[in-house]
Amino acid sequence: MRPTVHDIAAEAGVSLATVDRVMNARPGVREKTRVRVEQAIEKLGYVRDVAAANLAKGRIYPFTFILPKNDNAFMAELRQAVVEANEQGRVERTRIAIVDVPAFDAEALASALDAAGADEPAGIALVAIEAEPVRAAVARLKEAGIPVVTLVSDLEGSERDHYAGVDNPAAGRTAASLLGRFLGDRRGTIGVLAGSLSVRDHQNRFSGFSEVMATQFPQFEILPPMEGRDDAAIAERLVGEALAAHPDMIGIYSLGAGNRGLIAALQQARDAGREIVTIAHELSAHSRAALESGLFDAVLNQDAGHEVRSAIRVLKARADGTPVIAAQERIRIDIFIRDNLP
Amino acid sequence: MRPTVHDIAAEAGVSLATVDRVMNARPGVREKTRVRVEQAIEKLGYVRDVAAANLAKGRIYPFTFILPKNDNAFMAELRQAVVEANEQGRVERTRIAIVDVPAFDAEALASALDAAGADEPAGIALVAIEAEPVRAAVARLKEAGIPVVTLVSDLEGSERDHYAGVDNPAAGRTAASLLGRFLGDRRGTIGVLAGSLSVRDHQNRFSGFSEVMATQFPQFEILPPMEGRDDAAIAERLVGEALAAHPDMIGIYSLGAGNRGLIAALQQARDAGREIVTIAHELSAHSRAALESGLFDAVLNQDAGHEVRSAIRVLKARADGTPVIAAQERIRIDIFIRDNLP
DNA sequence: CTGTTAGCGCCTTCAA
DNA sequence: TTGAAGGCGCTAACAG
């Protein structure tokens, strides 16, 4: 059997309480006895049973997740992942409050951060918007000693403790590589559909995309990005207009949400006999169907569940003052084509 | 506070023991009282604290993992994943014994299965080889009531409880799609390098690959597969010879291990001025470097850690007689190109 | 069929 | 500075 606190206590010739004090680095132990206990721990190869410890402590971690009230599929999935994590949380001893804010509204987000901070949670996660009021609100939270993690979209130059999301410039580069290779020898212009260039993740995807297109595939002309506000109706209109205005358009990179609108526009193009090589983001029922029907050629995905669980792990570690292995919390960019759909 | 067994007992007007009996579906409870307890559980929204339950049970699950003693990077990673899972096992209450067997040796595997079964573990995982003695040994294990899970490579038509690995036909189809699209308008022959067509995963990848090449990209000639036994030296020789014999070879699908040898051969081809579009399997230090240098164009990966953890979850569930959500245990086929390396 | 009681491994008063 | 004792939520003998 693996050793327990009792074994350590016996080995060191002290009581359980003293062992506990040493293990949790609490004061009130003579240097000499501390060393004795540590040696006993070392000798017996003791590792504390975290589950039992948590049970005894009964500690719970109240976290707040601030999410944009978008109706796109990805945000719905993210929200669902938070809800599920919260249900799981009975085991992990976390309790997550979800706060909704209007999408792309920096002021609203900043207010929500202040309000969330007033409850003094053990940590806060937010889908960031790149704006000064938000940065200031985050700074206030850090001032108050509350750990802050950005989720999906980062807030650069801020004091957030961690960013739980994909490497968006790399996602943009990935999209460019695939689009360039899939287009092969064809020639024409390429359209870009973003949600809003005021969110850092969309900005970053666009710059990564532009960089690789310019250096590796200079033969293509990239049109200025359209901003669809991650809204299906707007996206459909913008893409439809762009396709009409540019009869030589052969490729589209959609780096935000609003896939439903994009798909509708692509279907119309197909009906008119045009095939547009398209790379989009986020796997959902719609984008999956589009992959299967060939309207999309690849979908880059970020696993919302992973992101949420990673954010929670990091917040918990920060709350406990324990270190996180950054490499382990890296969120991958998944590539899906028709043939490797899960 | 969330309700505990005490609350349920009080609400139902019974003792703790009875509540426990109901919760664990143990016999010796009158129908009427069982209903009362269940209603109390429902009413108070009780969810049992698994950590506390495990603590009280003190049960541990002894599992045996049978792994081929290959020195390729993927098997090393798989083994490492098992070792790590075992270390984590102190928390999960699992203990994993690793048994090594010679690679591609059905008789040795069958013997190892019998030997492992003699210890009456709570479950066995194996990297299967498609052969009758293995199937028979698995049948004997099932006969003895021991849960069996195949890992990475399946054993079709056997009595295994579950397969923890990727959809290999889909992996082959994915490789074909990418290869075909990357080749674009080029014309020539395509080589296939397998480890051994006696393992089901390699067989399946090859058939998925062949299917899509034949239907979607009939313009390419596919050469008969080479068998490199997942050995770097053999692979290097085979690929080198094939490249020499087929000056019009423009693509390679390597569906097994032995990437080091393949890379060496590709490097020689590059030095001689030839560029071969190459899709390989399993991300490792070598294949990553090959992606970065452009010798590989894409790498399909299965996450060894996921596979091992999934196998353990399933074995545990089988040991407990609890159901598994099949969809949740699906192992994804990861696609990596230079730009989305983790 | 049902209840009592003593733990699982750890933490935390409260005394000494 | 140290120890004794009780309890976290659940399970499992052992009695009734």
Side-chain angles (χ1 to χ4, degrees), chain A residues 87-105:
Chain A
E87 282 160 5
Q88 263 296 310
R90 328 203 65 144
V91 183
E92 325 271 339
R93 317 207 90 79
T94 57
R95 185 161 311 164
I96 303 176
I98 298 181
V99 172
D100 288 320
V101 292
F104 304 124
D105 183 338

Side-chain angles (χ1 to χ4, degrees), chain A residues 2 90 177 181 297 339, chain B residues 2 90 177 181 297 339:
Chain A
R2 57 188 276 205
R90 328 203 65 144
S177 281
R181 298 203 71 162
D297 295 85
D339 302 287
Chain B
R2 59 188 272 206
R90 327 202 63 142
S177 281
R181 299 203 69 160
D297 295 85
D339 302 286

Side-chain angles (χ1 to χ4, degrees), chain B residues 5 20 23 26 46 48-49 53 56:
Chain B
V5 271
D20 188 68
M23 279 179 11
R26 265 191 285 270
Y46 169 82
R48 141 230 248 128
D49 183 330

Side-chain angles (χ1 to χ4, degrees), chain A:
Chain A
M1 277 308 285
R2 57 188 276 205
T4 75
V5 273
H6 290 93
D7 303 317
I8 304 299
E11 175 75 23
V14 297
S15 77
L16 293 184
T18 302
V19 173
D20 189 71
R21 290 188 186 101
V22 173
M23 278 177 13
N24 294 292
R26 267 193 284 272
V29 183
R30 238 190 331 182
E31 178 65 17
K32 260 179 74 178
T33 42
R34 220 201 54 220
V35 171
R36 272 226 311 284
V37 172
E38 278 165 354
Q39 283 173 345
I41 289 177
E42 179 70 24
K43 179 176 171 197
L44 301 189
Y46 170 83
V47 252
R48 147 228 244 122
D49 182 331
V50 191
N54 283 335
L55 174 59
K57 278 206 273 254
R59 168 166 192 194
I60 63 136
Y61 302 78
F63 294 135
T64 303
F65 275 58
I66 304 181
L67 305 178
K69 197 150 188 53
N70 262 6
D71 74 336
N72 69 63
F74 176 72
M75 280 304 161
E77 200 189 328
L78 191 74
R79 181 176 313 258
Q80 183 54 30
V82 177
V83 170
E84 275 166 24
N86 193 28
E87 282 160 5
Q88 263 296 310
R90 328 203 65 144
V91 183
E92 325 271 339
R93 317 207 90 79
T94 57
R95 185 161 311 164
I96 303 176
I98 298 181
V99 172
D100 288 320
V101 292
F104 304 124
D105 183 338
E107 294 294 342
L109 178 53
S111 311
L113 285 169
D114 286 333
D119 295 337
E120 302 192 338
I124 293 180
L126 72 149
V127 178
I129 296 175
E130 199 71 36
E132 205 36 51
V134 179
R135 239 184 298 271
V138 168
R140 282 192 290 277
L141 291 176
K142 293 310 303 171
E143 185 68 27
I146 299 176
V148 175
V149 165
T150 51
L151 189 65
V152 179
S153 188
D154 199 7
L155 187 58
E156 281 165 30
S158 77
E159 329 231 357
R160 93 280 189 284
D161 292 87
H162 180 78
Y163 162 56
V166 296
D167 179 341
N168 284 302
R173 291 197 295 273
T174 302
S177 281
L178 291 175
L179 193 57
R181 298 203 71 162
F182 285 175
L183 283 170
D185 292 330
R186 294 174 65 185
R187 291 292 173 275
T189 61
I190 291 175
V192 175
L193 174 67
S196 160
L197 292 179
S198 78
V199 284
R200 187 47 100 167
D201 54 347
H202 290 197
Q203 269 173 44
N204 284 345
R205 287 175 191 171
F206 182 59
S207 64
F209 178 78
S210 303
E211 173 203 324
V212 167
M213 289 312 286
T215 58
Q216 316 266 319
F217 306 98
Q219 67 270 33
F220 300 110
E221 184 195 346
I222 313 298
L223 299 171
M226 307 172 256
E227 293 192 69
R229 300 190 66 74
D230 287 356
D231 181 286
I234 304 179
E236 178 171 2
R237 184 172 54 72
L238 288 175
V239 173
E241 290 171 1
L243 283 168
H246 300 275
D248 66 337
M249 188 181 287
I250 53 173
I252 291 181
Y253 173 36
S254 169
L255 53 77
N259 282 333
R260 283 205 306 283
L262 170 62
I263 291 168
L266 287 172
Q267 183 63 55
Q268 285 183 26
R270 169 176 284 181
D271 293 343
R274 288 173 72 180
E275 281 297 334
I276 314 290
V277 175
T278 304
I279 314 280
H281 274 266
E282 316 319 352
L283 193 65
S284 65
H286 295 102
S287 57
R288 161 189 287 274
L291 271 179
E292 283 167 347
S293 71
L295 286 176
F296 282 178
D297 295 85
V299 166
L300 306 188
N301 187 62
Q302 50 187 321
D303 190 313
H306 282 182
E307 292 178 323
V308 168
R309 288 189 290 273
S310 174
I312 293 171
R313 272 198 302 274
V314 172
L315 284 176
K316 214 163 154 186
R318 276 288 188 283
D320 287 340
T322 55
V324 293
I325 303 136
Q328 192 181 301
E329 301 300 346
R330 193 183 310 290
I331 308 294
R332 285 200 308 220
I333 301 161
D334 301 323
I335 301 176
F336 291 108
I337 63 176
R338 185 192 1 201
D339 302 287
N340 74 326
L341 282 172

Side-chain angles (χ1 to χ4, degrees), chain B residues 75-95:
Chain B
M75 280 305 162
E77 200 188 329
L78 192 74
R79 182 175 310 258
Q80 183 56 29
V82 177
V83 169
E84 275 165 24
N86 193 27
E87 282 160 6
Q88 263 295 311
R90 327 202 63 142
V91 183
E92 325 271 340
R93 320 207 87 82
T94 57
R95 185 162 309 164

